[in-house]
Structures are given as structure tokens and as C-alpha cells.
Amino acid sequence: MNLEAPITPDIIRDHGLSAEEYQRLCESLGRTPNIVELGIVSVMWSEHCSYKSSRIHLRELPTSGPRVLQGPGENAGVVDIGDGLAVCFKMESHNHPSFIEPYQGAATGVGGILRDIFTMGARPFACLNSLRFGNPQHPKTKHLVRGVVAGIGGYGNPMGIPTVGGEVAFDDCYNGNILVNAFTIGLLRADRIFRGAAAGKGNPVIYIGSKTGRDGIHGATMASDAFDATIEERRPTVQVGDPFTEKKLLEACLELMAGDCLVGIQDMGAAGLTCSSFEMADRAGMGMVLDLDRVPRREEGMTPYDVMLSESQERMLLVVQSGREAEVRTICDKWDIDMAVVGYVTDDGRVRVLDKGETVVDMPVAPIAGDAPLYNRPASPSPELTQLHQFDPQALPLPRDLNDVLMKLMSSPNLACKSWVWEQYDHMVMTNTVVRPGADAAILRVKGTKKGIALTSDCNSRFCFLDPYLGAMLAVAEAARNISACGGEPLAVTDCLNFGNPERPEVMWQFQQAVAGMAEACRQFHTPIVSGNVSFYNETDGVGIYPTPTIAMVGLVPDLDRIATPWWKDAGDVILLLGRNELELGGSEYLKQIHGQVKGTLPHLNMERELAVQRACRIGITRGVVKSAHDCSEGGLAVTLAECSLMRRQGLLGATVELSDDLRPDALFFGEAASRIVLSVAPASVDLMVTIAKEEGAPVAVIGKVGGRSLVMNNGIQVDLADLHDAWTTALPKLFS
């Protein structure tokens, strides 16, 4: 290729660099770059890789704590769970690729997050996913839903790693940009964490895994740009995955990690060989020489530009101790994956790339990898928020038939049973799954101990649209509540921050506010954020998504003999409510589905009450008092009670509830006031549970009894469970099967 060809303003613009950024690059190099170097910087300084619009705000997040062994900055975070063990976890986005090509976009999203985990030395043992789609009636939605769900199962299932939970939501704001956020957690020894640093002058740099092709070139740049009418032309930038090769790569890596030859290891994910080489060198303050003639390829005529920017999947870059190359080759041959020594570590702080003996790249590491542009972009709230907040719930007309309202809510896509989705995933493989998808949190056993790991992901994007600060706080609170409702102690968080174009002040304001809200809530819950991802430019033709800061939380269950699930256990059990009902309809599912409105102020979050409710719930579970516990969130109390009746696998079991609160019936039944958990206990345990709640400072009330074949609430609701179950379970299959 012609390395001497002039770099024109059009070429610079096509690579996503501003004129100022290009000038900065020239100053860093002391000359003008060639086309390969320009391609390298275009991905390294992309929003996706450099976080140039978000880094200044992410510094606010709490990232350390007594259990944190590895925080942000590596491939994934690591948290100590005792007994010499740790869990490694992270959440990543694959939004743009999944909208362009849903099957491969979702599949390679799963593959990428799996590699982030086993790169750290952990064996992945569970996945979650948080999915957002447009209106189910939109012409693209059915295709996208089917493709994404099939892609997740099509990668995770062959890998033999269970998908145990997550969330699926629908809204018009995602018509032009769906969200596919993938989470994986792995288990490892607390003293055997591997990191991506290219240390040791002269140590060999080794490529292992699949051969390199042209798929995914400029995928990171594409993920850092908004969509327009040319979206279909982006299809070649979507990677193609092969889970069977990834399974072999996983086993080879873990076998290598069982020895002592590895110095550093990094997944070739976004920006492929470019990002892995520059980041590994930067972390160690070293340099690297790469010889592209040695890189395994599956296509003819690939240029250095192609090889450096390819995002072909299932590849790793290793640095090993000099003289130990044969050990790596033996293991790679055993698992039938490619292995090649492609370079060596230097101490000059530069990356040099050779092709056919010619130097095609010669760049300093630090300015490219560690000192990318940093922007403090203008931020201001949208003027429409003031009007949206001017909402009086008392002025809302009351529905004539509250039974009909409940039926409509239970069959709405956001609240309907999601089993159509998760039944397409293997959620029992590895035999660790104790609580399956559909509960407040999934629970996995840690074999060889009595402990369990609880997992959940949460975000109410309507809340975050109306008030990103409080909406993000409520997302963290709900995640912690879901962990507590199963008997777990919230430990730590990973996040996936999905927003529109950060160059628009209202989007940047949303981001700033959401990060500040997350930071405050995580400090209150003592749940540091140990890893995460920022996904900007989720926008098409100037129309952006609702701010969607997805929270994935990990909790520790001390004793698997003491856990709770949401469904009723026995007729005659007594139902209690921890927390307090309030007149809170702003941003609710009821307001959107029944009245077609997204407006109002959000439910108040009294953090002292929230913490007390969660403590009381955990204590009640630990002491064997609580027989069921279910977080009250989207859809309100009526939906929560209905789910307790309908989730029960042993047969439907109803409830009769009498609420004394002096509230409008729609707010009482469907309002989404925060800090509430519905419990059931045996009649003999009621007094003890009430005492526990009062000792912890949590509001508590006895509200009803389990039994019968209907859900009865005051004089407003009386619904046959069989009819409700049919509406709840058939809604998604009717839309997407």
C-alpha cells in the first residue's frame, strides 16, 4: 500500500477525527501520519475506546472498597468473596452492531464479554443481558428481537455458559437504536488475577486464536458515531463470531494460566490488534515491535491497515517469558487454535509495526493510548423537562375498571412474562443455577462452599429521561433491593451507560447527572463500581434514546439454605409490606400504558428508609422467617402481588389484600413508590418479622393472606388467576413467535 499518499481533509473526516485532533496527532508524532497510523489513531481516539467525552465525569464514581481486588482500568473488575475466591465481572454494550445485524451483533457481544472475563484468569460461569427494543409494532422490532435473542443463545449455549437473567424492555425511543448490554461473571482464585500488561524487555508477543479477516474493520469508529440513512452500508463493520473456537480459546487460556509462563494477556476486542498492543504496552510503560507477516490470516491481499484494525473475533494477545514459547505452542496445538510469535516487548515506549520488512507504523505509546483528547462538553437540561414535571396526579381521570387496567398492564410487553426469551437460553448448564431467570435476582452456587452469588441488572429509562440524577439513583437502589430480596448482600456494580450524542448539551447533561446519581447511590450502598462501559451516539437522524444507565449488581449469599424467591409458598401464609405506599405516578408504567403519558416527578427516594427495608428483608431471610420476598417496582403493588401468584411453578396461588392507605386507588395499586418489598411469612412468624422491621427502622404493615385462585385487593381488584396467567404468559409469544 502507498504509505506516502497524502492525508486529505476528507480522509481525516472519514476517520472521525476533527481538525484539532489531527493537529494534535501531528504534534505527537512530530510529522504527518501515514494512512495506517491515521487508522490506528482513529480507533484509539474514538469515543468507544478513549472515553474522551466521559472520562472527566467517570472520575466521580466510587471504585474502591475492602473487597475490591481490581477496579476499572483492566478488562474486568474483581471482587473478593472469601475462602480464597473472587468473582470477576463486567458489562459491555454491542448496540450499534446488533441494530445493523442482530444475530451476529448480539452473538459477538456475548463473545467479547466472555473474553474480558477469562482474560483475567476467571472461568465464566454465568451471563446476564439487558435488552431494549423499540415499539413492538414498529416494522423492524420483530426482526431485531428474534435476531438478538437467537444470537445470545447461539453463542452462549455452545460455550456451555448459562444465561441466568437480565431484562427486556420496549419503548418508542429505541426504534432507531436498540440496546444490547451483555454481562458475564467468572470465578477465580483471589491470588491468581491476570492483567493486560506487556512487561519485560525482549519478552515475546504471541497471537493465539482465530485467524484475522476483514470483518469488523472500524467497528470501534462505527460505535462512536450516530446513525443516519446510510445505516445498511455499515453491515461489513459487524464482526462474525464462532463460539466453538471461543470455547477452545477459553480452555487454552485457562490451561496457560495454570502455569507460570504468562506475563500479560489481552483480548483483541474493539480495534483488534491495535488496541490490545497499545494498551498492553501503555499499562507497563513499555513499547512493542509487531511483524504483521507473522499474523495468521484467513483472507488474501490484506493490507497492514486491514490487519491492524480488523476486529475478527476469538483472538488474544499474550506476552510470555522469553524462552517459554514452546509451552504456549503445545497448549494451542492441543486445543487446535492458531499460535504465532508476532513480536517482542521493547523499553522505548513506542509501537513499531513491520510489514514485509518495511516499517509501516512508528508511534509513541503514551500519547496514543494514555493521553487521548479529553473533552468537558457543554451541558444543559432540555427545556421540555420543566413542562413534563408539571403534572398533577390528582387531576388524572380514574379508570372505571381497575381489573381491566391490571390485565392490560400484565399483558404489556414491559411487564409480561419474559420466559419466551430466556427459555431460548441454556440457564442450567454447569449445574450452578439455584434460582433461575424470572426472579428478582438469579442465584448461583459457589461449589465447595455454602455460598451463593446473586446477580441482577436494572434501569428504568423513563425515570432517567424525566430526572437522570434520581433515575440513576433509583436504578442502583432497585438493583440492591433485588439482591436483598433474595437474601444477598450487595457487593459491587458494573454498569453500561447508554446515551445519545454527547455533542448535544442536553445529552451531556443527562450523562453528568446520571453519573452523579449513580455515584451517590453506590456510596450509600457501599457498592463500588469496579468495571463498566460507556456507549454514546445511540441516535438516528438526530433522535436519541432515553438515557439508559444500566446497573448490573453482584451480591453475596452467605448461606444457600437461607434464600428467598418471589412466589407464594403456602396457602394461609401472611403477606407483609416493608416500606410505604405513596401517591407517586410520575414516570410509571401505568401512566404510559393506560394514559399514554411520560411525565411527572419521580418517586421520592428516602435512602435511610431504603437501607432499612433492605436490612430488614435480609435479616428476615437469614433467620428463616421470610418464605417469599419480591421487590415492588414497575407496575406497582398490584403487579408485584400478581407476579407472586403467577410465578409459582407448583400451581397458581392467589392472595387477598386489604390496604388501609388513604390514596387514590390507581396510585395505591399501580404507583411505583420506591423502597418497598412484599414478604410472605408463616402465621406464627408475623410478630417476629414485624419486630425485625421495627428494630431496623423499616415501615411494615400486615396487608393480607395467601390463598385462593384470585387476586383480591380492597374493593377495587378481583381477578381470576387463570385469566391473568394466560394474559401474562402469552403476550410475548403472540408478538414474536
Side-chain angles (χ1 to χ4, degrees):
M1 64 186 305
N2 184 7
L3 298 179
E4 304 302 323
I7 303 297
T8 67
D10 285 345
I11 291 175
I12 295 168
R13 187 166 48 252
D14 289 345
H15 281 74
L17 294 180
S18 67
E20 293 77 14
E21 288 172 341
Y22 180 72
Q23 182 61 36
R24 177 174 177 157
L25 169 60
C26 293
E27 291 171 359
S28 296
L29 297 180
R31 56 176 171 81
T32 59
N34 63 44
I35 188 64
V36 182
E37 293 169 334
L38 183 67
I40 284 172
V41 173
S42 76
V43 292
M44 292 301 296
W45 287 4
S46 68
E47 193 72 61
H48 187 77
C49 293
S50 74
Y51 287 21
K52 57 190 175 186
S53 299
S54 59
R55 290 203 317 270
I56 194 170
H57 304 292
L58 296 176
R59 294 167 183 166
E60 297 180 35
L61 298 174
T63 59
S64 61
R67 290 184 179 269
V68 177
L69 302 177
Q70 176 64 57
E74 269 292 341
N75 291 288
V78 183
V79 175
D80 195 332
I81 61 169
D83 297 319
L85 298 174
V87 286
C88 173
F89 55 93
K90 189 181 183 183
M91 180 172 260
E92 278 273 8
S93 63
H94 232 222
N95 304 335
H96 282 46
S98 299
F99 187 76
I100 296 170
E101 211 303 298
Y103 184 95
Q104 289 296 348
T108 53
V110 173
I113 197 65
L114 287 170
R115 290 193 301 279
D116 281 341
I117 300 309
F118 68 79
T119 298
M120 301 291 294
R123 178 174 289 280
F125 75 119
C127 295
L128 303 177
N129 51 74
S130 177
L131 311 177
R132 298 288 194 283
F133 298 101
N135 189 312
Q137 306 307 321
H138 188 275
K140 283 191 174 182
T141 298
K142 184 174 291 189
H143 164 70
L144 292 169
V145 169
R146 288 172 170 173
V148 165
V149 172
I152 291 169
Y155 208 102
N157 293 353
M159 285 291 295
I161 297 170
T163 300
V164 297
E167 52 181 347
V168 184
F170 300 85
D171 195 281
D172 291 350
C173 75
Y174 304 109
N175 284 344
N177 288 265
I178 65 173
L179 302 184
V180 176
N181 296 173
F183 165 99
T184 295
I185 187 169
L187 190 66
L188 74 165
R189 279 174 43 187
D191 61 351
R192 293 288 287 174
I193 301 171
F194 288 82
R195 295 175 171 88
K201 180 181 178 181
N203 279 335
V205 177
I206 298 179
Y207 171 122
I208 68 172
S210 292
K211 290 179 170 63
T212 294
R214 288 190 174 90
D215 51 321
I217 292 175
H218 271 299
T221 309
M222 179 268 292
S224 306
D225 194 8
F227 283 155
D228 56 24
T230 65
I231 182 174
E232 290 301 323
E233 298 173 11
R234 313 271 188 122
R235 193 173 299 275
T237 64
V238 177
Q239 309 93 327
V240 177
D242 178 359
F244 300 101
T245 296
E246 176 122 336
K247 174 63 174 172
K248 294 188 293 182
L249 180 64
L250 182 156
E251 298 299 342
C253 287
L254 293 182
E255 188 168 339
L256 281 166
M257 290 164 173
D260 62 357
C261 70
L262 272 182
V263 174
I265 179 170
Q266 174 90 352
D267 162 39
M268 284 191 242
L273 187 56
T274 286
C275 199
S276 56
S277 57
F278 273 85
E279 286 189 352
M280 290 183 78
D282 186 57
R283 289 191 186 113
M286 301 294 280
M288 192 178 290
V289 171
L290 298 174
D291 186 347
L292 299 189
D293 294 336
R294 301 181 181 183
V295 173
R297 307 182 194 191
R298 65 169 181 263
E299 296 186 39
E300 297 292 330
M302 293 185 70
T303 67
Y305 187 101
D306 296 336
V307 176
M308 287 301 293
L309 271 65
S310 167
E311 294 186 8
S312 294
Q313 298 291 285
E314 296 90 35
R315 302 180 300 160
M316 289 281 185
L317 199 64
L318 282 55
V319 173
V320 303
Q321 294 180 24
S322 184
R324 309 286 292 274
E325 297 91 333
E327 297 174 38
V328 180
R329 184 172 298 282
T330 298
I331 291 173
C332 290
D333 288 346
K334 170 184 173 181
W335 290 103
D336 191 27
I337 58 173
D338 279 292
M339 175 271 190
V341 178
V342 297
Y344 56 91
V345 176
T346 65
D347 63 356
D348 61 1
R350 302 183 74 83
V351 167
R352 293 181 177 85
V353 179
L354 309 177
D355 179 66
K356 298 179 176 61
E358 179 185 2
T359 299
V360 294
V361 172
D362 185 354
M363 307 178 79
V365 171
I368 307 305
D371 191 26
L374 181 64
Y375 297 116
N376 188 3
R377 297 193 184 276
S380 58
S382 171
E384 70 173 329
L385 286 179
T386 300
Q387 184 177 356
L388 290 175
H389 291 161
Q390 292 172 353
F391 165 71
D392 180 8
Q394 295 287 16
L396 201 66
L398 278 170
R400 293 182 179 180
D401 187 346
L402 295 172
N403 289 323
D404 182 59
V405 170
L406 180 59
M407 293 291 283
K408 286 180 178 176
L409 288 176
M410 295 300 289
S411 59
S412 68
N414 286 338
L415 299 181
C417 178
K418 303 302 189 299
S419 61
W420 178 85
V421 174
W422 56 258
E423 283 175 356
Q424 298 182 54
Y425 310 145
D426 191 333
H427 49 272
M428 297 300 292
V429 66
M430 300 181 79
T431 67
N432 292 317
T433 308
V434 177
V435 176
R436 305 178 192 183
D440 287 340
I443 301 180
L444 298 128
R445 65 173 50 85
V446 180
K447 289 176 179 172
T449 76
K450 296 182 67 177
K451 296 176 181 176
I453 300 296
L455 310 173
T456 186
S457 66
D458 294 282
C459 182
N460 186 321
S461 60
R462 272 199 308 274
F463 280 5
C464 294
F465 166 67
L466 292 169
D467 185 338
Y469 181 90
L470 183 52
M473 287 193 74
L474 287 165
V476 175
E478 182 180 352
R481 205 180 313 128
N482 284 331
I483 297 292
S484 294
C486 73
E489 171 200 350
L491 287 186
V493 164
T494 183
D495 60 55
C496 203
L497 308 181
N498 308 275
F499 290 79
N501 184 344
E503 297 166 48
R504 292 200 290 122
E506 61 270 30
V507 172
M508 204 64 234
W509 180 81
Q510 291 172 340
F511 182 80
Q512 291 178 9
Q513 292 291 304
V515 168
M518 287 169 49
E520 177 59 25
C522 286
R523 281 190 286 267
Q524 295 280 349
F525 285 106
H526 303 290
T527 51
I529 299 174
V530 298
S531 59
N533 171 241
V534 177
S535 176
F536 278 132
Y537 295 98
N538 293 287
E539 188 166 302
T540 297
D541 292 329
V543 179
I545 63 166
Y546 284 163
T548 312
T550 306
I551 302 297
M553 187 175 285
V554 173
L556 180 64
V557 177
D559 184 351
L560 285 174
D561 291 332
R562 299 290 191 181
I563 62 173
T565 49
W567 47 90
W568 309 133
K569 300 304 182 292
D570 298 294
D573 286 344
V574 177
I575 303 168
L576 295 89
L577 176 67
L578 292 176
R580 185 172 295 144
N581 299 316
E582 309 275 3
L583 178 58
E584 313 234 76
L585 288 173
S588 65
E589 189 74 16
Y590 162 76
L591 191 61
K592 173 67 185 295
Q593 295 294 339
I594 305 303
H595 297 280
Q597 300 180 37
V598 178
K599 57 174 57 175
T601 55
L602 300 193
H604 174 62
L605 179 60
N606 180 317
M607 191 58 74
E608 183 178 350
R609 183 192 305 170
E610 180 74 55
L611 292 167
V613 163
Q614 294 192 31
R615 284 196 309 269
C617 182
R618 290 197 302 269
I619 292 170
I621 294 169
T622 301
R623 294 178 64 175
V625 177
V626 173
K627 297 177 73 172
S628 75
H630 191 15
D631 161 45
C632 184
S633 55
E634 285 88 352
L637 188 57
V639 168
T640 301
L641 293 165
E643 289 172 342
C644 294
S645 296
L646 302 179
M647 289 182 189
R648 192 172 182 271
R649 294 185 177 91
Q650 301 89 338
L652 302 179
L653 190 57
T656 300
V657 170
E658 188 67 33
L659 302 166
S660 59
D661 307 76
D662 185 21
L663 296 175
R664 290 169 50 106
D666 55 352
L668 183 59
F669 296 157
F670 309 118
E672 296 179 8
S675 314
R676 295 182 295 169
I677 299 176
V678 171
L679 309 177
S680 69
V681 304
S685 301
V686 173
D687 290 344
L688 177 54
M689 189 62 234
V690 169
T691 298
I692 290 170
K694 290 182 177 179
E695 288 176 347
E696 295 303 318
V700 61
V702 176
I703 62 170
K705 184 174 288 188
V706 175
R709 299 281 295 179
S710 300
L711 174 61
V712 180
M713 296 182 67
N714 291 17
N715 296 318
I717 288 179
Q718 183 166 355
V719 182
D720 181 77
L721 289 184
D723 294 338
L724 201 58
H725 185 267
D726 181 67
W728 184 61
T729 56
T730 62
L732 286 196
K734 285 178 180 177
L735 285 170
F736 301 117
S737 288

